[in-house]
Amino acid sequence: MESGTVRSVTRRGFLYRAAAVGGTGLLLNAMNAWGMGIASTMAGPPVLSGSGKGKSVVILGAGLAGLTAAYELNKLGYRVQVLEARGFAGGRCQTARKGFELTELGGETQRCTFDDGQYINHGPWRIPLHHQSTLHYTRLFDVPLEVMVNDNDHAFVYLENGGPLSKQRLRPAQVKADLRGHVAELLAKSVQDHLLDKQLSADDQRALLDYLAHEGQLSAGELRYKGRTGRGFAVNPGAGMNPGPGTPSDPLGFSELLASGVGKVYSAVQDFPMQNTMFQPVGGMDQIPKAFEKRVGRFIRYHAEVQAIRHGEKNVTVAFKDSASGKAQTVSADYCVCTLPLSVLRMVDTDFSDRFKGAIKAVAYAPVGKIGLQMKRRFWEEDEQIYGGHVLTDIPGINTISLPSSGWQKKKGVLLGYYNYQSAAIETSALSPAERAEFALAAGEKIFPAYRESFDSAFSVAWHRVQYNLGGWAEWTDESRKAAYPLLLEGEGRVLLAGEHLSYLTGWQAGAIESAWQQLARLHERASA
Amino acid sequence: MESGTVRSVTRRGFLYRAAAVGGTGLLLNAMNAWGMGIASTMAGPPVLSGSGKGKSVVILGAGLAGLTAAYELNKLGYRVQVLEARGFAGGRCQTARKGFELTELGGETQRCTFDDGQYINHGPWRIPLHHQSTLHYTRLFDVPLEVMVNDNDHAFVYLENGGPLSKQRLRPAQVKADLRGHVAELLAKSVQDHLLDKQLSADDQRALLDYLAHEGQLSAGELRYKGRTGRGFAVNPGAGMNPGPGTPSDPLGFSELLASGVGKVYSAVQDFPMQNTMFQPVGGMDQIPKAFEKRVGRFIRYHAEVQAIRHGEKNVTVAFKDSASGKAQTVSADYCVCTLPLSVLRMVDTDFSDRFKGAIKAVAYAPVGKIGLQMKRRFWEEDEQIYGGHVLTDIPGINTISLPSSGWQKKKGVLLGYYNYQSAAIETSALSPAERAEFALAAGEKIFPAYRESFDSAFSVAWHRVQYNLGGWAEWTDESRKAAYPLLLEGEGRVLLAGEHLSYLTGWQAGAIESAWQQLARLHERASA
């Protein structure tokens, strides 16, 4: 979650204000992402000359950053070895499908019981068009992509505290059409009444009226907003004589729309990282680490829990425990790229300087929760004609109910029942898996009548309770960005750090990849010196 | 193209006005559809009691209407036979891929030379979420769907007559962010300056300012629009120290935006039938008729050109010519469902009453042209980060350059080089296939530097020159809707008509299907009487 810019701070400020005002945990469209970072800037790995031949690198963690480092450093000639605590690669990039197991700290083991072919991406779940670094590898490794529907003007918005529009299932198309229509009418009226003669030239006024008439689809001549086809029909047109041409349904009133606050759920355009076209790999986000694994899997030592890091003038030694056998071992290399989340690294025994250790501790990690609910029937498609996208709500702890962008028109589907953050995530994470499912169902059935009766099984995660992550992503503040970030970027001795936390794209796979690119260039520079 | 509503007429009026003013053939977003009809109203075929056992129906044409009629009437127990002039089913629902042949009237034969796996849907190409009738059959027949990207805020808009913004590649995200931002600022200023104290209550003013600040992402306090992340960055944020947090790029000026007219290319919301989620069958639109063919193909007589229709008290006799052997034959049945386009039917020898014949002749058909261009390289993705969607332009005769929504990140792709209509379609259709490709390339290279050098091969169609269609779709006027439409819906004797032309969803597959549903109910009612 990026907070380094004035704009983001303002935005976040607004979000919390909205939550405070509404007495709810409503997060806005812009926020229900796997992070709030912005667009990636690097479209490909750094082009480096020379070779790493004869030099070795131990890489800690086989998440996207570790995999990227392993792949690129190996290509450069380095001897690489990756230590990964889990039995699979990907880090937070996980897909839960039948048989997938997760045991949160102090929690019971969940074993996913979804049907074959059903899954939830409970880590990163979307790749926006700007993330050219992530798209670099999907292209290079031929990972098939499909569109992830991130905007759907027909997915409901449902506010419990929406004033006169409370507890109604509104379609964003209605909200956008009516609010922009009313605004266009109001401004057009002001121009017609010569209220803006001082502000606007006659030419601008003419052009503005022309634009407003189109933007708001105002009635010809008098320029009034009376609804439009884009908001839907009372009766739809079809074949034969009846029904004939449809008439648009009645617009929502300007005052009630304003009083409801629903206009603040959407905005003129999506924030940059949330814009379409948005992708997901066919079959699950873990197709990306699986593609890496095919290429660098032979360098990965699984079930290797890092215990200690010692670095000297000549090399780095990492002690690890084989979590299967319990046996302790060490590995030495010329360099180390450590991609462990700072939340985990701060608990590893290292001989880093106190200053460096302090910097590692300076960064908070976001509590984040998600739940996947397998439904027996795709009632959102069949009953409501909602195909993908997000149902946004202020029901506490839910934020979004997101509908799957794959398996269109099939029988079953897995939807995202909540995606919460901060205090809401902490609260739901205190629940047992079964209680979390009940929590999600109790909310969802307020919006969808068929929600509870269609429920099959659930799989949830609270990332702050996952042993090898201890949080969703790094949460920089202005202060920690200033003090700790540059220090961490430099690394210490022969140890360099990489991961989403060392980017301005925190919480995104692109951040992990670009961080690895940036740090392996630094490593190569040092090694070549 | 639907013109039966005041709203549509207004809209079309605007389109022609825009074209006249711009001196161009610019068609707007709302129009670059396979028709302008609205949403379908029937979600499934009519539920009919009784049986058609012992009764026969001859169906003319194996397009979507004919296929639907054959499938449903057969299910009801009727003995059905379908006469189809072409060697395949689908009517206008065609997909051109390697080996596909098309000979327009008076034209040379085109044989598609796209690579394996490449194709263009040169007939209908999108299925909006509301077309539940089309989606009924994709679901029933298990035709896999994928998202058709119909909205892409990153596909360019390029105006040759865009005043101060002429010949610039603008991104819709910029245009929408800036125009709505400027409008929000202007209205906020008016509220702050107490210009709207008479129109709005104090509460409404407060709520409006709050909404405008969000909608336009105005600066806190002074409420000014200074750009936003949603319009993009001058420098993108990434990993490491440099670049740091991005600053939004500078907004386009309000006056130049207004003077350019670009604000009229987009609108507050898409018109109803153009809204997301939009689908296409995986592998080509012809997967739909192919799915029907699997189920009713045994009833279809291919290469059967209808020559004459005679109907009496007891039955209907249809004379047809086998286009392969040249042999004339006849078939008789208790009833006839004729789905031939009216443009074709008017040339068939029938014994319909003069009044009915007059009604058939009363309806004009739209000249429509499309061209698919196979490109050696997906430069729109690789160079411009445009993944699907439509590049809208006022370059004469082009209207839209639409990028494919399949084969993401592969090497090659087929884009739609133009989609023109009316006079523009008539003009380009006069060109040879090679000249049409050159026409498309000359336009496209103004927008994409790599356009011409990437060109592989083309496949074009001018629907008004296609023998068995003679037009893209029926073009009703208010008068013909009133006079001819009810007459045609009634049919004559034992002959009933069906097709997109007998719906308020002209130009859409949903119109053909719902018309068939509506007419087969009528047929069954008559047969059961």
Side-chain angles (χ1 to χ4, degrees):
Chain A
M1 305 294 284
E2 178 48 52
S3 68
T5 66
V6 173
R7 194 158 293 277
S8 301
V9 169
T10 305
R11 187 154 183 73
R12 173 172 300 179
F14 166 72
L15 293 170
Y16 285 129
R17 186 159 51 82
V21 167
T24 72
L26 173 65
L27 297 180
L28 301 193
N29 212 3
M31 264 199 62
N32 55 36
W34 182 252
M36 210 180 194
I38 323 279
S40 67
T41 187
M42 298 161 98
V47 180
L48 303 172
S49 59
S51 160
K53 210 137 197 186
K55 289 164 203 146
S56 61
V57 183
V58 60
I59 297 164
L60 310 184
L64 268 294
L67 291 166
T68 300
Y71 179 79
E72 298 296 342
L73 288 170
N74 173 59
K75 258 191 13 187
L76 269 171
Y78 289 89
R79 195 151 35 81
V80 300
Q81 182 167 10
V82 186
L83 301 180
E84 168 54 50
R86 292 187 171 95
F88 57 89
R92 276 157 283 185
C93 175
Q94 299 178 7
T95 300
R97 53 175 75 77
K98 195 181 203 163
F100 184 88
E101 281 190 8
L102 176 70
T103 312
E104 292 172 10
L105 291 170
E108 57 192 270
T109 295
Q110 288 182 78
R111 191 159 197 279
C112 183
T113 59
F114 294 161
D115 288 13
D116 287 331
Q118 301 291 343
Y119 63 85
I120 186 88
N121 293 322
H122 56 283
W125 56 321
R126 31 189 178 189
I127 309 172
L129 75 147
H130 305 99
H131 286 192
Q132 290 291 310
S133 47
T134 310
L135 292 170
H136 168 79
Y137 288 111
T138 57
R139 181 161 182 252
L140 187 68
F141 298 159
D142 210 10
V143 176
L145 299 179
E146 62 193 1
V147 171
M148 195 275 186
V149 176
N150 197 48
D151 268 330
N152 184 349
D153 275 354
H154 292 271
F156 302 125
V157 54
Y158 180 92
L159 299 181
E160 294 205 304
N161 293 290
L165 297 176
S166 288
K167 301 186 182 177
Q168 292 189 32
R169 310 192 309 173
L170 303 169
R171 307 260 185 183
Q174 297 177 327
V175 173
K176 293 178 186 177
D178 293 347
L179 268 168
R180 291 176 189 156
H182 289 306
V183 161
E185 176 183 317
L186 184 61
L187 194 54
K189 231 187 284 186
S190 305
V191 172
Q192 288 173 316
D193 292 349
H194 300 284
L195 300 181
L196 297 170
D197 285 356
K198 266 190 273 180
Q199 288 88 336
L200 298 171
S201 72
D203 278 354
D204 280 356
Q205 289 188 31
R206 260 190 303 275
L208 178 59
L209 287 179
D210 209 24
Y211 162 69
L212 292 173
H214 176 76
E215 167 76 357
Q217 214 174 94
L218 306 181
S219 61
E222 54 170 1
L223 300 181
R224 294 294 168 264
Y225 178 66
K226 300 175 177 178
R228 61 188 301 169
T229 73
R231 77 176 315 285
F233 292 96
V235 178
N236 288 347
M241 285 306 283
N242 188 9
T247 44
S249 45
D250 288 336
L252 298 163
F254 198 13
S255 282
E256 64 185 322
L257 276 165
L258 290 175
S260 74
V262 69
K264 298 197 294 184
V265 177
Y266 308 99
S267 189
V269 290
Q270 284 270 31
D271 280 348
F272 201 53
M274 286 303 142
Q275 289 180 353
N276 293 317
T277 310
M278 190 75 82
F279 291 106
Q280 61 187 16
V282 175
M285 193 59 86
D286 66 351
Q287 298 308 303
I288 296 177
K290 277 183 198 303
F292 271 105
E293 240 173 342
K294 255 190 222 166
R295 286 147 183 102
V296 297
R298 63 190 187 279
F299 307 127
I300 304 176
R301 166 103 194 214
Y302 293 101
H303 302 293
E305 291 182 358
V306 172
Q307 306 287 309
I309 304 171
R310 294 287 178 272
H311 68 295
E313 296 260 312
K314 294 271 166 66
N315 65 2
V316 182
T317 301
V318 178
F320 65 95
K321 189 179 81 178
D322 186 303
S323 63
S325 66
K327 243 172 56 183
Q329 286 180 260
T330 63
V331 56
S332 289
D334 297 326
Y335 294 93
C336 174
V337 175
C338 174
T339 72
L340 306 186
L342 300 177
S343 46
V344 173
L345 181 58
R346 70 180 60 141
M347 299 190 303
V348 172
D349 170 18
T350 69
D351 58 354
F352 294 146
S353 68
D354 286 348
R355 208 167 150 240
F356 200 71
K357 282 181 180 170
I360 289 169
K361 282 188 193 139
V363 189
Y365 268 65
V368 172
K370 279 189 176 182
I371 192 166
L373 305 174
Q374 179 175 300
M375 295 293 182
K376 291 185 185 78
R377 185 171 77 80
R378 297 170 79 97
F379 55 82
W380 55 96
E381 295 180 0
E382 293 171 15
D383 303 349
E384 321 287 357
Q385 302 175 20
I386 298 174
Y387 299 89
H390 314 293
V391 171
L392 298 179
T393 182
D394 62 355
I395 299 175
I398 299 297
N399 181 29
T400 179
I401 294 174
S402 298
L403 292 330
S405 289
S406 60
W408 306 115
Q409 300 199 302
K410 302 285 183 212
K411 197 166 162 14
K412 296 191 175 188
V414 177
L415 57 75
L416 181 70
Y418 60 71
Y419 181 10
N420 55 27
Y421 170 67
Q422 299 288 41
S423 59
I426 291 170
E427 278 169 39
T428 44
S429 73
L431 304 174
S432 72
E435 289 167 338
R436 291 177 193 171
E438 173 54 35
F439 174 79
L441 291 176
E445 70 182 340
K446 293 183 180 179
I447 304 173
F448 294 101
Y451 209 79
R452 185 179 288 274
E453 75 197 31
S454 305
F455 173 65
D456 245 357
S457 69
F459 185 88
S460 64
V461 63
W463 281 104
H464 45 293
R465 287 183 60 183
V466 174
Q467 183 184 3
Y468 301 126
N469 302 99
L470 299 176
W473 51 77
E475 291 255 87
W476 293 98
T477 59
D478 285 352
E479 301 89 277
S480 59
R481 222 14 134 176
K482 213 167 151 193
Y485 186 77
L487 212 63
L488 293 171
L489 267 185
E490 274 302 310
E492 189 144 282
R494 288 167 172 269
V495 181
L496 285 166
L497 309 186
E500 53 85 19
H501 47 285
L502 287 185
S503 76
Y504 286 87
L505 302 159
T506 49
W508 291 98
Q509 294 176 105
I513 293 170
E514 294 186 35
S515 168
W517 284 350
Q518 195 250 344
Q519 293 294 49
L520 69 89
R522 192 190 293 255
L523 185 152
H524 188 60
E525 192 183 56
R526 289 189 190 173
S528 308
Chain B
M1 307 294 283
E2 177 48 51
S3 67
T5 67
V6 173
R7 196 158 292 276
S8 301
V9 168
T10 305
R11 185 152 184 76
R12 173 173 299 179
F14 168 72
L15 293 170
Y16 286 130
R17 186 160 51 82
V21 168
T24 72
L26 173 66
L27 298 180
L28 301 194
N29 212 4
M31 265 200 59
N32 55 36
W34 182 252
M36 210 180 194
I38 322 278
S40 68
T41 187
M42 298 162 99
V47 180
L48 303 173
S49 59
S51 160
K53 210 136 196 188
K55 288 165 203 146
S56 61
V57 183
V58 60
I59 297 165
L60 311 185
L64 268 294
L67 291 167
T68 300
Y71 179 79
E72 298 296 343
L73 288 172
N74 173 60
K75 257 191 12 187
L76 269 170
Y78 288 89
R79 195 152 32 82
V80 300
Q81 181 167 11
V82 185
L83 301 180
E84 168 54 50
R86 292 187 172 94
F88 57 89
R92 276 157 282 185
C93 176
Q94 300 180 7
T95 299
R97 53 175 75 79
K98 195 180 202 164
F100 185 87
E101 282 190 8
L102 177 70
T103 311
E104 292 171 8
L105 291 171
E108 58 191 273
T109 296
Q110 287 182 78
R111 191 158 198 279
C112 183
T113 59
F114 294 160
D115 288 12
D116 286 331
Q118 301 291 342
Y119 64 84
I120 186 88
N121 292 324
H122 56 283
W125 58 319
R126 31 188 179 190
I127 308 172
L129 73 148
H130 305 99
H131 286 192
Q132 290 292 311
S133 48
T134 310
L135 291 170
H136 168 79
Y137 287 111
T138 58
R139 180 160 182 254
L140 186 67
F141 298 159
D142 210 11
V143 176
L145 299 179
E146 62 193 0
V147 171
M148 195 276 186
V149 176
N150 197 48
D151 267 330
N152 185 349
D153 275 354
H154 290 272
F156 301 126
V157 54
Y158 181 91
L159 300 181
E160 293 204 306
N161 292 292
L165 296 176
S166 289
K167 300 186 182 177
Q168 292 188 34
R169 308 192 310 173
L170 303 170
R171 308 261 185 181
Q174 297 177 327
V175 172
K176 294 177 186 178
D178 293 348
L179 268 168
R180 292 175 188 156
H182 289 306
V183 161
E185 176 184 315
L186 185 61
L187 194 54
K189 232 187 287 189
S190 304
V191 173
Q192 288 173 315
D193 291 350
H194 299 284
L195 300 181
L196 298 171
D197 284 356
K198 267 190 274 180
Q199 288 87 335
L200 298 171
S201 72
D203 277 354
D204 280 355
Q205 289 188 32
R206 260 191 303 275
L208 178 58
L209 288 180
D210 210 23
Y211 162 69
L212 293 172
H214 177 76
E215 167 77 356
Q217 215 173 94
L218 306 182
S219 61
E222 55 170 0
L223 300 182
R224 294 294 168 265
Y225 178 65
K226 299 175 175 177
R228 61 188 301 169
T229 73
R231 75 178 316 287
F233 292 96
V235 178
N236 288 347
M241 285 306 284
N242 188 8
T247 44
S249 45
D250 288 335
L252 298 163
F254 198 12
S255 282
E256 65 185 322
L257 276 165
L258 290 175
S260 74
V262 69
K264 298 197 295 185
V265 177
Y266 308 100
S267 190
V269 290
Q270 284 270 33
D271 280 349
F272 200 53
M274 287 302 141
Q275 289 181 354
N276 292 318
T277 310
M278 189 75 81
F279 292 106
Q280 61 187 15
V282 174
M285 193 59 85
D286 65 352
Q287 298 307 303
I288 296 178
K290 277 182 200 303
F292 271 106
E293 241 174 342
K294 255 189 222 167
R295 288 149 181 100
V296 296
R298 64 189 186 281
F299 306 127
I300 305 176
R301 165 103 193 214
Y302 293 101
H303 302 293
E305 291 182 358
V306 171
Q307 306 287 308
I309 304 171
R310 294 285 177 274
H311 68 294
E313 297 259 313
K314 294 270 166 66
N315 66 2
V316 183
T317 301
V318 177
F320 64 95
K321 189 179 81 177
D322 186 303
S323 63
S325 67
K327 244 173 56 184
Q329 286 180 260
T330 62
V331 56
S332 291
D334 296 326
Y335 294 93
C336 173
V337 175
C338 174
T339 73
L340 306 186
L342 301 178
S343 47
V344 173
L345 181 59
R346 71 180 58 142
M347 300 189 303
V348 172
D349 170 18
T350 69
D351 58 356
F352 294 147
S353 68
D354 286 348
R355 206 165 152 240
F356 201 70
K357 282 181 181 171
I360 290 170
K361 282 189 192 135
V363 189
Y365 268 66
V368 172
K370 279 190 176 183
I371 192 167
L373 305 174
Q374 179 175 298
M375 294 293 182
K376 292 184 184 78
R377 185 171 76 79
R378 297 170 79 99
F379 54 83
W380 55 95
E381 295 180 359
E382 293 171 14
D383 303 350
E384 321 288 358
Q385 301 175 19
I386 298 173
Y387 299 89
H390 313 293
V391 171
L392 299 179
T393 182
D394 62 356
I395 299 175
I398 299 298
N399 181 28
T400 178
I401 294 174
S402 297
L403 292 330
S405 289
S406 61
W408 307 114
Q409 298 200 304
K410 303 283 183 215
K411 198 167 162 13
K412 296 191 175 187
V414 176
L415 55 76
L416 181 71
Y418 60 71
Y419 181 13
N420 55 27
Y421 170 66
Q422 299 288 38
S423 59
I426 292 170
E427 278 168 40
T428 45
S429 73
L431 305 174
S432 72
E435 288 168 338
R436 291 177 195 172
E438 173 53 35
F439 174 78
L441 291 176
E445 70 183 340
K446 292 182 181 180
I447 303 173
F448 293 102
Y451 209 79
R452 186 179 288 275
E453 74 197 31
S454 305
F455 173 65
D456 246 357
S457 69
F459 185 88
S460 64
V461 64
W463 281 104
H464 45 294
R465 287 184 59 184
V466 174
Q467 184 185 2
Y468 301 126
N469 302 98
L470 300 175
W473 52 75
E475 292 255 87
W476 294 97
T477 60
D478 286 351
E479 300 90 278
S480 59
R481 232 353 146 184
K482 213 167 150 194
Y485 186 76
L487 214 62
L488 293 172
L489 267 185
E490 275 301 312
E492 188 144 285
R494 289 167 171 268
V495 181
L496 285 167
L497 309 186
E500 53 86 20
H501 46 285
L502 286 185
S503 77
Y504 286 86
L505 301 160
T506 50
W508 291 97
Q509 295 176 103
I513 294 170
E514 293 186 35
S515 167
W517 284 350
Q518 196 252 342
Q519 294 293 49
L520 69 90
R522 190 190 294 254
L523 186 153
H524 189 58
E525 192 184 56
R526 290 191 190 172
S528 308

